[in-house]
Amino acid sequence: MLLTEPEIQQVLEQVKAAFPSLTDWEYNNEKNEEYFGFSVWGHFVNNPEELMPRRFFITLDTYESKWQGCLSVGQPSYLWSSADVGDAYLVDTEPSETLEEAIAALKAKISELFQAFQ
């Protein structure tokens, strides 16, 4: 699924509001060898003063008419993400009908993951 420019701006507003601690939001709005369609991602750097800080990414992307969310470390989620090249999925969601549902599902999965360590 590809988005119009007004839809892209609306998505950017929604993800920035949903994940206010993340920065440097970027997006892809084309089908190519790395993406099935629209994808948006932002990142959080834990301990940015470290020589090699860990970067955590929230990615929300589309496949056909569905939205899916992912928390990854190393780089944003895309078709060729791999732990062999320094990135890894931590959690992801099942496809959702709307962006709002994908955000809510991703937040629930992240919460579930971190509760396991408390």
Side-chain angles (χ1 to χ4, degrees):
M1 171 169 57
L2 301 179
L3 304 183
T4 65
E5 191 58 37
E7 290 171 327
I8 292 169
Q9 294 309 312
Q10 183 179 11
V11 165
L12 288 171
E13 288 175 18
Q14 286 179 269
V15 296
K16 287 177 182 179
F19 301 101
S21 296
L22 276 67
T23 61
D24 300 328
W25 287 94
E26 297 181 50
Y27 66 89
N28 174 79
N29 194 36
E30 62 181 279
K31 294 179 182 179
N32 56 38
E33 65 278 354
E34 295 180 347
Y35 299 96
F36 286 124
F38 183 80
S39 181
V40 62
W41 59 92
H43 79 273
F44 172 76
V45 179
N46 192 25
N47 299 322
E49 66 282 347
E50 288 183 1
L51 180 61
M52 296 180 66
R54 287 183 179 82
R55 290 174 168 29
F56 295 88
F57 290 85
I58 296 289
T59 304
L60 292 142
D61 56 12
T62 60
Y63 178 68
E64 296 178 356
S65 63
K66 306 278 186 181
W67 286 90
Q68 192 164 348
C70 179
L71 170 65
S72 60
V73 63
Q75 60 185 348
S77 169
Y78 69 107
L79 289 178
W80 303 108
S81 293
S82 168
D84 293 337
V85 291
D87 62 316
Y89 291 163
L90 298 176
V91 295
D92 59 1
T93 67
E94 295 296 320
S96 298
E97 293 296 322
T98 67
L99 174 60
E100 295 81 7
E101 291 172 359
I103 289 170
L106 183 58
K107 285 184 169 189
K109 290 272 193 165
I110 291 169
S111 179
E112 182 181 313
L113 172 67
F114 288 111
Q115 284 179 3
F117 297 102
Q118 293 183 0

